[in-house]
Amino acid sequence: WEAIKYSCDRGFKSFCFGRTEPENEGLRQFKNGWGAREYFIKYYKYDFRDNSFTTRSSSVNPLYKKIFKTLPVPVLNILGRFLYRHAG
């Protein structure tokens, strides 16, 4: 909210809400409620060991998603501060 308010106060005509995974329906609906326009971004990954582009997915292990989904927000905040430096 503060970023949107800041942008409006300074006369910006557009605001980027950032990327969202296609399967994250709730966040997409929230952003669309503000009038955001969706567009598809293609990502390409290059594997320097194989000297080629790769099609391997880097998605999060389903077990990790299940664990993180059950943790309280304060624990997630602490983990996020630590893990972001190493995995971000």
Side-chain angles (χ1 to χ4, degrees), residues 7-55:
S7 300
C8 289
D9 291 345
R10 282 154 184 78
F12 289 94
K13 302 291 181 205
S14 66
F15 184 84
C16 178
F17 280 87
R19 59 187 185 184
T20 304
E21 293 175 331
E23 59 273 5
N24 193 335
E25 294 289 333
L27 184 55
R28 288 178 53 226
Q29 183 178 6
F30 171 79
K31 291 177 179 183
N32 287 334
W34 284 90
R37 282 182 281 148
E38 289 186 289
Y39 56 94
F40 187 74
I41 301 172
K42 290 184 180 183
Y43 288 93
Y44 299 93
K45 295 181 183 180
Y46 192 81
D47 187 333
F48 287 98
R49 287 175 285 193
D50 293 339
N51 281 334
S52 65
F53 287 97
T54 181
T55 57

Side-chain angles (χ1 to χ4, degrees), residues 27-88:
L27 184 55
R28 288 178 53 226
Q29 183 178 6
F30 171 79
K31 291 177 179 183
N32 287 334
W34 284 90
R37 282 182 281 148
E38 289 186 289
Y39 56 94
F40 187 74
I41 301 172
K42 290 184 180 183
Y43 288 93
Y44 299 93
K45 295 181 183 180
Y46 192 81
D47 187 333
F48 287 98
R49 287 175 285 193
D50 293 339
N51 281 334
S52 65
F53 287 97
T54 181
T55 57
R56 284 184 301 221
S57 173
S58 64
S59 62
V60 176
N61 183 321
L63 176 62
Y64 295 146
K65 283 186 179 182
K66 190 174 185 177
I67 292 169
F68 288 134
K69 198 173 192 176
T70 63
L71 294 174
V73 172
V75 173
L76 290 172
N77 286 333
I78 292 167
L79 285 173
R81 278 188 234 118
F82 173 76
L83 294 174
Y84 185 78
R85 283 182 271 153
H86 302 286

